[in-house]
Amino acid sequence: MSVLPLVFTSGWASGINAYAVVLLLGLFGATGISDEVPESLQRTDVLVAAGVLFLCEAVADKIPYVDSAWDSVHTVIRPVAGAVVAALLAGESGSLPELAAGAVGGSTALMSHLVKAGTRMAINTSPEPFSNIAMSTTEDLGVAAIITFAMFHPLAAAIIAATLLVLGVVTVVFLASRIRRFLRRRAQRREERRLAAAEGLPQRPPH
């Protein structure tokens, strides 16, 4: 059976939370739930690192503005993780060239990451933190659910992931005005900090 549906689903999930994907796949392989997980993802050091980073993301992802900063840092990390995981899955299966799998996983991860980052920018135009917490929790549970589902029904999981990706793109387009508002606010804050620092340069600290 082709590993392409699992590659696509893992790529989509990696764009949202790459550490959760690595941790879940590794655990599924280590516990014998799936024999399609490469041994490199089942290593203890990989599982520990993924677990620690997942906990860091679970906290950072729920704090307004910190979540967007975290997303900015992971603009490269998530697509690369999606590509690497996809290539490893393809190498384990042998039914899909690793380069092609990496391209599918990486590009899908990039698209879902941009959807996530754009949605968070729109949410951060609201001053309350509860929407950030609710969205982050929903994303974490969604990634866990769809990766688990993909272990048993890869094609159905891929269809769900593709549907969510399309809906996410439509949502970001719909929220474009709020995203632009967030970017203007962030640029304004940077300019205010720059001016404050410049004005403070000639001043000497009081004795």
Side-chain angles (χ1 to χ4, degrees):
M1 184 177 63
S2 174
V3 76
L4 182 59
L6 182 57
V7 163
F8 181 87
T9 303
S10 65
W12 171 83
S14 294
I16 299 173
N17 193 326
Y19 305 124
V21 172
V22 173
L23 180 62
L24 285 170
L25 288 178
L27 289 174
F28 289 146
T31 55
I33 293 177
S34 174
D35 56 1
E36 296 184 6
V37 180
E39 292 185 4
S40 55
L41 294 179
Q42 303 178 37
R43 289 169 40 185
T44 301
D45 56 339
V46 172
L47 292 174
V48 170
V52 171
L53 291 169
F54 169 74
L55 292 176
C56 292
E57 175 148 335
V59 174
D61 206 40
K62 294 174 176 60
I63 304 174
Y65 291 98
V66 173
D67 57 354
S68 288
W70 185 269
D71 285 339
S72 297
V73 172
H74 285 75
T75 300
V76 175
I77 296 175
R78 287 172 183 157
V80 169
V84 171
V85 169
L88 289 173
L89 290 172
E92 184 74 11
S93 170
S95 62
L96 183 70
E98 294 181 27
L99 184 60
V104 172
S107 59
T108 306
L110 177 60
M111 290 178 65
S112 62
H113 164 75
L114 293 176
V115 168
K116 173 179 179 173
T119 304
R120 289 309 180 84
M121 289 180 187
I123 290 175
N124 281 331
T125 59
S126 174
E128 46 78 28
F130 304 107
S131 53
N132 299 74
I133 296 173
M135 179 61 73
S136 176
T137 302
T138 300
E139 290 170 349
D140 292 342
L141 293 176
V143 166
I146 200 165
I147 288 295
T148 302
F149 188 56
M151 290 291 99
F152 306 98
H153 305 284
L155 182 58
I159 293 173
I160 294 172
T163 303
L164 292 174
L165 183 59
V166 171
L167 291 175
V169 171
V170 172
T171 300
V172 169
V173 172
F174 180 76
L175 296 173
S177 60
R178 297 189 68 174
I179 295 172
R180 286 194 294 269
R181 193 186 317 161
F182 170 84
L183 293 173
R184 285 196 298 269
R185 284 185 182 179
R186 188 164 67 174
Q188 183 179 2
R189 289 186 179 185
R190 287 177 177 174
E191 182 64 15
E192 289 173 354
R193 288 195 296 266
R194 187 187 68 80
L195 291 175
E199 291 174 358
L201 284 177
Q203 300 178 2
R204 295 182 179 180
H207 294 286

